[in-house]
Each structure stands twice: as structure tokens, then as C-alpha cells.
Amino acid sequence: MSQRKVFVRESSGLIKQVNLLDAVMLNLGNMSAGVALFESISPYLNSSNNPTIGGPGGVLWIASLLGLIFAIPQLIIYTVMTRHISRTGGDYVWVSRSINGGIGSVMAIALMLESLAYFALIAFFSASSINAVLSTIGGVDHSSFLLNLANNIFVNPYGNLTLIQKGIFYSIGAIFFVIVILLNIFKAKWGYNIVTILGIFSFASLIAAMIIIAISTPFMAKISPFMSSQGISIPSSVRYSFLPKINWDYTLLLLPIFALYTYPWMQAGPAVSAEFKQSQKIAKLNLVLAILITAFFVTVGFAEMDAVAGYYFNYYAYGTFIYNFWDVAIALSQNALVQWFLGLGVILWNFYVLSYGVIVFSRYVFALSFDRVLPAKFSEVNKYGSPIYAHLLDLILTLSLLSIPVFSTAAATSLYGATILGALYFLVVSIASIFYGVKNKIRILSIAGIISAIYFAFLTYEAGINPVFGFTSTVDGIPITEIFVGLVIVTGIVVYLLSKYINSKKGIDISMSFKEIPPE
């Protein structure tokens, strides 16, 4: 089959079915505001959990605003490049055509494996959120039934779990993941529908949580039953202050924690851009809307917590890993229906993220397959317009990685440490945008690429040296994170070189696929 026929097949196989709402919801899942407000960022404000923070002075909502500002160059890159090159695989195509096919392929494979590690962590958090909801509602309502579920069945995953309890946690994430994969296989549009539906529900619950926190006064009196039930004590000398004396060093060192979940992750829309119904309109608006919505909810959510409770109270309470935005909102709810609406919301946020991931991962596999880096089987589309074998690969790999945090919380640090691959990937994308901008005389793209490259060089460095991310951590003396990251890079190199060799035996030079942007 000729190269041109291959790309025509892509155009006819993946249907142009993504509207603006679908694209925005896909990107919002990518940046996961609701997960960021759970126990993902706020515990690391406290120096006991984050040794880079020497004490009070780092401010979460200010760090969120700084993260938004530093994300603007990347936003320009992804918006401009998507408008110029709307291809399945998004930034993989930009890198492979602007820099080098081998580099693009290796980095795309690295991103895919890092993303699977992230999805495994999110599946782990989904089980953790169930425990948190049961424990919070059970504690404030004095429900022995709910507390029994939280203490014996849906237990805290950070404790000493029995094999059965670990199996329950694994099954929760695995069953949902299988369901989402099957929906995507039987009809591609269903995959987008479930992302949009889960996204709407997740944001509705987040809005409700913000309202509950805002109207619950006096805060200290109403949060007291929750604090007592969870055994959380705060130093009596703590004074109220919405804005402390800001330590800008500490605040800046919170940015890598935000980068785990929020602003840098804007590749979801571009990865499916070949499926946009109104390509230019959606390419222009989807990322701008998504990043502004994410920034609003994350920034206001953390600022609201400081406004009602005071910065210093939150500083100490966050460090427990129990007290966070969602648990506080649930605890403040005086109505059982509202409690369970919010509880279901925080749980479904995790499944919302998993749902977007299923779609995006398959599109990278799809693109690599069309470039013959991966076997052609992965680019086959069934009669429902879905890349079935790409989804099955996603299923097998994710279910394998999910076992890591479920069966060994110590080994889970290896998945956090994989964050360095994401930062490195975005650094390479930034460099590719510089090349493309210079070549095509797009000045704003070149400038944005330079600024973005500097920022991601900083994040890559922090991901490597900051102990919070666990890149240099060991399990039983074994540097498991460094081994994992190294194996990911080696895997990408081996896959590319092996593919190049196998295709050369057939008289095909796969490097020719990267010489120019292929036709639609």
C-alpha cells in the first residue's frame, strides 16, 4: 500500500465527529481540575510532605495563577500548531516533521507510557476517593455502616491492605477501564459521549462544592465535627490570615506539583484534531476555553479555602492528606443528598480522566502505526470507526501498570517519577515549535517556543531532583523509578530502530514519512 493511500485511509477511517463541547471536555479531563483539588496538590504545601518548602509562605492559589501565566506560551504553541497541522497524534506529528522522525517516535512512545503510568495512578486515586467519601460522610454522620465499609472493605490504600482489599481496589479501576474501552470499540462517538457526560457531571459537582464551602459560616464551628472524627488537630497558636507573608521561592517550587495535573497537559484536543467537525474554529477555541476554565476552578477553589479557613489553618490541615477541598465540602454539607452528590462527583472525576485517556492514547498509537513505527494492525479501524487494536493495547498495558500502585504503594513512586518524561516531552515539543516558527516565519510561535522551552527545562530539572516526585527514590535499595524511566526511553529507541530495520527489508524507508506533512 502506498504512503498516500495509507493517509487517505486515515481520513476516511476516523470520522469527523468532534464538536467544540467534546474537544473542550476532552482537554478539561486532560488538565483534571477536580483531581488537582483532591489530595493531589494541597498536601505538598506543608513542609513535612515537601522538603523543598521550608515552611509557611507558599500560596496555592498564587502558584495556580503563575502556572497559568507560564502556560500561555505553550497555549500559543498548541493553538497555532493545531491550526496549521490538524493531524491525528497532534504534537507527535509536529515533532517528527519539524525535528526528526526518530526523536518524534521515541518521545511519543515515552509520553504514551508515561500517560499510562498516570492513568494507573488515577485509577488508584479512584479507589482512594471512595474511601475518603465513605470515611468523611461516615464520620460526620456517625454512621457505623459507612465507617465499617471504609475501614474494612474500601480501605485507605496507603495502609496495610489484605490481598482481598487490594483485589477490590484493583477491580474498581479495572472494571471501569474495561467498560470505557468496550464503549470506544463498539462506537467511537460513544467514547466522546461518555467523556462529555462525565465531564458535565464532574464540573456540576465541583460548582456545588464551591457553593457549599462559600455559604458554610461560621466555618470553624461547622468543620469541627469533621476534624474531630478524623483526629486532626491544629496548633492552637494558628491565627487567621487569608494572605500570609508570601515566600516567592516556596510558591514557585509548588509549580512542578501543579504540573503533575493541570496546565501543561493540553495535548488531548490536538491529538484528535483530525476529527474536528469545524477544524479551524475548534482549533482556535478549544484549548483557550479549557485552560481558562481549569484556571478558574483550581485558583478559586484554593483561594476560597484560604478565605474561609485561613491560610495557616489550611497549611497544617492539608499536611494530613485527609483534609482537602472535596472532603471539606462533603463534611460541610448538611444534607445527605448533597453529601452523596459531592461524593459521587469526586469519585467520577477520576473516571472522567480515565475516559479521556482511552481516546487520546489510541490516537497516538494510531498515528505511530500510520507512520509504520508501530505495526499496521494498530491503525485498523472497525466498522464503528474505532481503532480497535490500539484500544486493546491500551487496555493490556494500563491494567498491567495499575497493579503497581494497588499492590505496592512504595513502588507507586516509580509512576510519579515518570513525570520527568512528560516535562521532557513538552520541552521537545517547544523546540519543535521554534524550528517550525523559524522555517515558516511565524514570529510569535518562535518566541513562544523559546519561553516554553526554558519553562519546561526548569520542570524537567525539578522532576529529576525534587524528592517529592520520587525520581531518585528506591524500593528495597533498587532505584525503580530511574529504571522505569530508562526502560521507557530504551523501549522507544528499540521500537523505532526495529521498525526501521523491518521496513527496510521490505524496501520501505520509514524516514520518508517524516519529510513533509502528509496530505489529508
Side-chain angles (χ1 to χ4, degrees):
M1 184 178 288
S2 71
Q3 180 176 313
R4 184 173 182 82
K5 286 181 180 177
V6 166
F7 289 113
V8 168
R9 196 176 99 197
E10 176 185 6
S11 183
S12 60
L14 291 176
I15 304 166
K16 288 187 176 295
Q17 58 192 332
V18 180
N19 57 36
L20 181 59
L21 178 61
D22 291 334
V24 172
M25 283 299 171
L26 203 67
N27 288 315
L28 288 171
N30 197 182
M31 288 185 270
S32 55
V35 176
L37 287 167
F38 184 42
E39 55 186 32
S40 308
I41 296 176
S42 55
Y44 299 98
L45 174 67
N46 192 295
S47 57
S48 62
N49 300 321
N50 186 353
T52 63
I53 305 295
V59 183
L60 289 168
W61 62 270
I62 293 179
S64 177
L65 287 174
L66 291 174
L68 171 64
I69 292 170
F70 287 127
I72 291 175
Q74 186 192 8
L75 173 64
I76 293 171
I77 291 170
Y78 273 75
T79 300
V80 172
M81 292 299 290
T82 303
R83 295 186 70 186
H84 279 78
I85 309 171
S86 294
R87 297 288 304 169
T88 297
D91 43 17
Y92 153 69
V93 177
W94 312 339
V95 174
S96 60
R97 272 64 179 177
S98 300
I99 301 180
N100 176 272
I103 293 175
S105 301
V106 171
M107 293 309 302
I109 291 171
L111 177 73
M112 288 160 54
L113 294 176
E114 186 276 338
S115 296
L116 291 181
Y118 174 70
F119 299 146
L121 277 173
I122 293 297
F124 177 70
F125 277 134
S126 69
S128 176
S129 65
I130 293 173
N131 172 264
V133 170
L134 293 173
S135 179
T136 300
I137 298 177
V140 297
D141 291 352
H142 306 291
S143 170
S144 58
F145 173 70
L146 294 180
L147 290 175
N148 182 60
L149 288 177
N151 294 329
N152 298 296
I153 300 177
F154 302 101
V155 298
N156 185 337
Y158 298 102
N160 294 317
L161 278 64
T162 66
L163 186 61
I164 293 176
Q165 290 167 340
K166 291 178 179 180
I168 291 172
F169 267 167
Y170 183 86
S171 298
I172 291 170
I175 290 172
F176 179 82
F177 206 75
V178 169
I179 292 172
V180 174
I181 289 286
L182 290 175
L183 286 173
N184 276 274
I185 287 175
F186 285 114
K187 192 169 185 179
K189 184 59 180 174
W190 289 351
Y192 289 107
N193 288 343
I194 193 171
V195 168
T196 299
I197 291 169
L198 286 175
I200 291 172
F201 185 91
S202 297
F203 273 98
S205 65
L206 180 50
I207 292 170
M210 294 176 75
I211 293 172
I212 292 296
I213 292 173
I215 65 175
S216 295
T217 55
F219 176 81
M220 289 303 171
K222 291 192 173 183
I223 200 63
S224 180
F226 169 72
M227 304 293 283
S228 298
S229 68
Q230 300 296 328
I232 301 174
S233 60
I234 304 299
S236 57
S237 60
V238 165
R239 67 185 188 280
Y240 175 87
S241 174
F242 168 66
L243 189 64
K245 182 179 180 181
I246 302 171
N247 186 309
W248 290 103
D249 289 342
Y250 296 166
T251 301
L252 285 171
L253 287 172
L254 288 168
L255 288 179
I257 310 294
F258 277 86
L260 269 171
Y261 299 96
T262 53
Y263 306 116
W265 303 99
M266 57 182 78
Q267 79 274 21
V272 303
S273 55
E275 300 166 67
F276 288 168
K277 283 182 179 178
Q278 300 169 293
S279 59
Q280 285 301 307
K281 177 183 176 182
I282 298 176
K284 188 180 190 178
L285 296 175
N286 79 102
L287 285 173
V288 173
L289 292 173
I291 197 170
L292 290 177
I293 292 170
T294 297
F296 173 81
F297 281 101
V298 174
T299 305
V300 173
F302 283 133
E304 181 182 42
M305 288 290 287
D306 284 352
V308 299
Y311 172 86
Y312 293 101
F313 182 91
N314 286 333
Y315 175 83
Y316 291 105
Y318 281 148
T320 64
F321 277 91
I322 298 172
Y323 177 99
N324 57 69
F325 173 89
W326 282 104
D327 285 350
V328 166
I330 294 171
L332 293 173
S333 304
Q334 303 282 315
N335 179 282
L337 185 63
V338 176
Q339 285 179 332
W340 285 105
F341 175 65
L342 298 182
L344 188 58
V346 66
I347 293 168
L348 288 184
W349 256 102
N350 296 280
F351 294 129
Y352 171 33
V353 173
L354 291 178
S355 299
Y356 106 79
V358 168
I359 294 174
V360 173
F361 178 88
S362 68
R363 273 37 178 195
Y364 280 103
V365 174
F366 197 86
L368 285 162
S369 176
F370 265 94
D371 283 344
R372 294 190 175 92
V373 176
L374 293 179
K377 199 74 176 174
F378 291 126
S379 57
E380 287 188 12
V381 177
N382 64 13
K383 63 180 180 179
Y384 304 108
S386 178
I388 178 172
Y389 296 106
H391 284 310
L392 291 176
L393 177 65
D394 182 11
L395 178 64
I396 294 169
L397 293 177
T398 301
L399 292 186
S400 299
L401 286 171
L402 175 57
S403 65
I404 296 177
V406 170
F407 292 99
S408 173
T409 52
T413 57
S414 65
L415 301 184
Y416 272 112
T419 304
I420 194 171
L421 293 170
L424 183 61
Y425 180 82
F426 291 128
L427 171 59
V428 174
V429 173
S430 301
I431 294 170
S433 71
I434 298 172
F435 285 12
Y436 188 87
V438 170
K439 181 180 179 180
N440 294 277
K441 298 180 180 179
I442 307 174
R443 185 178 176 82
I444 189 172
L445 188 61
S446 301
I447 295 173
I450 293 170
I451 298 172
S452 182
I454 294 171
Y455 180 54
F456 282 111
F458 161 71
L459 291 182
T460 302
Y461 173 75
E462 277 295 313
I465 68 164
N466 192 328
V468 169
F469 299 110
F471 180 70
T472 58
S473 65
T474 61
V475 177
D476 296 327
I478 301 173
I480 191 169
T481 311
E482 295 175 21
I483 292 173
F484 178 81
V485 171
L487 285 176
V488 166
I489 297 293
V490 170
T491 298
I493 294 172
V494 170
V495 168
Y496 178 74
L497 293 177
L498 185 61
S499 176
K500 190 171 184 179
Y501 173 76
I502 292 173
N503 279 283
S504 68
K505 288 294 194 179
K506 302 175 184 178
I508 301 171
D509 180 5
I510 64 171
S511 64
M512 294 304 294
S513 301
F514 309 115
K515 297 302 181 183
E516 60 181 20
I517 304 301
E520 287 289 354

